[in-house]
Amino acid sequence: MGECQADSECPDHRACIALQCVDPCVNQCGVGADCHAKRHVAVCTCPAGTSGDALVSCRQSRSYPVARYYKKKK
């Protein structure tokens, strides 16, 4: 018999997988994403300064300078 049979038998930050209370974040989020286990589920987010789909990948956000054009006064 295993350690658990349902998520409710594990701490909130663990999930019952294959009769064991384990970290649900393992291999769940995309490249560069942060994972926080909440209520037995992996919650993936892109960290500050990055953007993208946290389940696929997070990339550095790029900010481009805004070009300003001035009309020449006659």
Side-chain angles (χ1 to χ4, degrees):
M1 186 109 177
E3 181 179 1
C4 60
Q5 291 184 351
D7 285 340
S8 60
E9 297 174 21
C10 299
D12 188 60
H13 66 284
R14 299 276 199 193
C16 186
I17 300 172
L19 303 176
Q20 298 293 316
C21 290
V22 297
D23 182 356
C25 284
V26 177
N27 298 321
Q28 294 299 307
C29 299
V31 176
D34 290 335
C35 185
H36 304 282
K38 187 173 185 178
R39 293 188 180 144
H40 316 289
V41 176
V43 179
C44 304
T45 56
C46 287
T50 65
S51 61
D53 182 344
L55 296 175
V56 179
S57 72
C58 297
R59 291 178 217 80
Q60 282 296 112
S61 296
R62 293 185 180 145
S63 59
Y64 296 99
V66 176
R68 294 183 184 214
Y69 297 95
Y70 295 96
K71 218 176 199 182
K72 198 173 187 181
K73 293 183 180 180
K74 292 182 181 182

